[in-house]
Amino acid sequence: WKYLTNDKKLSPTQDDRGNVNYREMGLVHNVQRGEELATRIPPVPGIKGMDVQGRELLPRLGRDLPLPRGKNTVCNADNTSLYATLDGHITVVDRKLTVQPVFELNGDVDFSSGNIDFIGNVVIRGSITNGFTVRAAGDIEVTGFIEGAEVFAGGNINIRGGIKSSYKG
């Protein structure tokens, strides 16, 4: 099967002129309800080969793998495509695609994670450092504190540690 998600590692974004933005790391992979997540590619017959002594090698038969159906996903009738059943963040759990309605970050929002822009609720088990942005369509919960960062929520914002505004709060 082939994932239809962004399978690159966390890396900063680069614009057309070559400028690199280290605050946009691509940590969150938002998906909408009904969006296609993966497509199953059926196995194809291999071609014969030859070893170093000139003997013919027969190809192995390919395995027909099922779609990696995880929590909050559904397959179509002929099991060729996998779709999200709700809006959320796509992750791989135990080699299965899962859609999570809440994005949880165990750590700080800093250069290691980049800015966060999510279509649901966000839980940050750490702090939001100076100059970073967190946006959520739902609620935002921060167990640490916010240091001169921008935080936008469609719902409630709960900050357990406090706010340090750095003259721009």
Side-chain angles (χ1 to χ4, degrees):
W1 25 264
K2 178 179 111 179
Y3 294 121
L4 299 177
T5 61
N6 182 3
D7 28 334
K8 65 180 182 177
K9 302 272 188 225
L10 284 182
S11 62
T13 58
Q14 186 173 7
D15 65 11
D16 298 337
R17 297 191 301 165
N19 297 326
V20 177
N21 186 351
Y22 287 96
R23 294 190 195 296
E24 297 297 332
M25 299 293 286
L27 178 66
V28 180
H29 300 287
N30 288 315
V31 293
Q32 302 283 330
R33 180 179 187 206
E35 186 174 335
E36 187 176 28
L37 305 176
T39 301
R40 186 175 63 83
I41 300 171
V44 294
I47 56 173
K48 294 179 183 179
M50 191 175 300
D51 67 9
V52 294
Q53 296 178 346
R55 291 180 291 196
E56 185 177 68
L57 295 174
L58 297 177
R60 293 186 198 150
L61 295 176
R63 292 187 353 211
D64 193 12
L65 298 173
L67 285 167
R69 184 174 176 210
K71 188 174 179 182
N72 301 321
T73 62
V74 66
C75 296
N76 61 355
D78 57 352
N79 283 326
T80 57
S81 295
L82 185 68
Y83 298 94
T85 59
L86 52 82
D87 296 347
H89 169 70
I90 184 169
T91 59
V92 179
V93 178
D94 296 329
R95 299 189 65 184
K96 295 181 181 178
L97 291 179
T98 302
V99 178
Q100 303 288 342
V102 177
F103 179 76
E104 296 185 34
L105 178 64
N106 292 320
D108 296 338
V109 176
D110 55 16
F111 286 108
S112 65
S113 66
N115 294 330
I116 295 175
D117 189 359
F118 186 57
I119 59 176
N121 296 338
V122 174
V123 176
I124 299 169
R125 290 185 172 77
S127 299
I128 305 174
T129 58
N130 190 16
F132 286 88
T133 304
V134 176
R135 295 179 191 275
D139 299 339
I140 297 175
E141 180 180 342
V142 181
T143 60
F145 53 96
I146 298 176
E147 306 173 31
E150 294 182 345
V151 180
F152 303 93
N156 298 318
I157 299 174
N158 183 7
I159 306 161
R160 294 189 187 166
I163 299 173
K164 180 180 174 186
S165 65
S166 300
Y167 303 108
K168 53 184 172 179

